[in-house]
Amino acid sequence: MTENLTPPFAGLTPDTLLDAVESTGLCASGSLLALNSYENRVYQVGMEEGPPIVAKFYRPARWSDTQILEEHAFSLQLAEREIPVVPPLTLNGATLHHSGGYRFALFPRRGGRVPELGDPATLEWIGRFLGRIHALGDTAAYVARPTLDIASFGEEPLAFLMSTATLPPELKEVYRGVAQQALDGVHRCYDRAGALRMRRLHGDCHVGNMLWTDDGPHFVDFDDSRMGPAVQDLWMLLSGEREERAGQLADVLAGYEDFCEFDLRELHLVEALRTLRLIHYGAWLARRWHDPAFPAAFPWFAGGRFWEEQILSLREQIALMDEPPLWRLP
């Protein structure tokens, strides 16, 4: 069920954490607050002088240094153009630091609330900034970071799950068959969309990675940034019945297309990307189960009901992927 039985953050004690922060030349007060993060470990760290900062310790072996630095460079480019993202701090000429066997980055602490996605003006505002992010993302390509595609988000995760004892024995072959049928549907969606332009994305643009203030949204956590179709950063903003989602999409694109042209063929991929996320999510939990934070946070994963619900969700996706996209294509 696991790839590595060693807990990845077993040695990250408060002293190790504070020593790492102070190795950059900053002076911490000793105040620590763990923030909600499972893939990495993220803490608010009090400073002797000035406001607290956020320290992000990267999961070992997930990204190479080169891949992390590519993401940092993209975030800094966005910030330089006054696009509201939260880039890492540059300290001693570096954004990525090493201490105690861990790699980490430090960020300014930015507050905010969850955006109200039921408000058309809010969606248009978010769309404008996503358009600006994608316009810059289109000016260069990631070299080291991967592309969001069927192989990495669907086929490989499914193969991993089938190679483990993760699923209850009575559900394993059922899940395999339904997931494979779903991937066939994903391939058909990609075929209908045709060849699309890949660009640098945020990659995980859900409401938890957007904070809202009176000045509008700002985007945090580019950890999943990769190459992919623009619609990957749009579809998670949509919810409700089909008519509601179509209206929300219209609001987002009203702002988005002020800065970046959107290829309507990408709408064929909305349900395909949702399907890939479902398969990838199950495999992600299975890969991380040796991390003590995961059984504590996701205790239901060890039971059969989760996989029964996943099978049902995939069957629903199979039907949805054969429906027309939200907008009629030209």
Side-chain angles (χ1 to χ4, degrees), residues 123-308:
L123 288 173
E124 186 172 345
W125 202 339
I126 292 171
R128 284 199 294 272
F129 284 125
L130 282 175
R132 293 179 66 193
I133 290 172
H134 288 181
L136 181 61
D138 196 35
T139 62
Y142 281 138
V143 176
R145 284 198 158 234
T147 297
L148 193 165
D149 56 23
I150 301 172
S152 61
F153 262 64
E155 292 169 349
E156 189 281 331
L158 177 58
F160 172 78
L161 283 171
M162 293 302 101
S163 72
T164 70
T166 300
L167 281 87
E170 68 275 14
L171 295 177
K172 187 168 185 176
E173 290 307 314
V174 177
Y175 181 86
R176 185 203 303 269
V178 173
Q180 189 56 63
Q181 188 179 357
L183 287 176
D184 291 342
V186 170
H187 278 283
R188 290 195 297 273
C189 289
Y190 271 76
D191 288 343
R192 287 193 289 268
L196 298 171
R197 189 176 187 89
M198 301 291 108
R199 69 187 72 209
R200 292 176 293 176
L201 306 171
H202 180 284
D204 194 24
C205 200
H206 57 75
V207 291
N209 284 334
M210 289 180 285
L211 295 175
W212 192 271
T213 68
D214 291 342
D215 294 325
H218 56 273
F219 297 83
V220 300
D221 195 5
F222 276 69
D223 197 57
D224 285 301
S225 183
R226 62 188 67 219
M227 301 293 291
V231 72
Q232 168 64 14
D233 280 349
L234 306 184
W235 72 263
M236 279 183 272
L237 302 173
L238 315 179
S239 63
E241 299 299 321
R242 181 182 176 86
E243 184 176 346
E244 294 175 285
R245 286 183 282 122
Q248 293 159 2
L249 178 64
D251 293 331
V252 172
L253 290 182
Y256 184 94
E257 292 197 308
D258 285 343
F259 296 94
C260 189
E261 183 179 359
F262 182 77
D263 186 343
L264 290 178
R265 293 179 302 151
E266 292 195 19
L267 296 179
H268 281 297
L269 302 185
V270 170
E271 297 304 332
L273 291 167
R274 194 189 310 274
T275 301
L276 291 175
R277 189 174 179 85
L278 281 170
I279 297 172
H280 187 269
Y281 178 65
W284 174 69
L285 289 174
R287 292 185 202 275
R288 302 296 186 244
W289 201 243
H290 64 289
D291 182 337
F294 279 71
F298 309 101
W300 35 259
F301 179 71
R305 183 164 184 179
F306 170 79
W307 294 105
E308 291 172 352

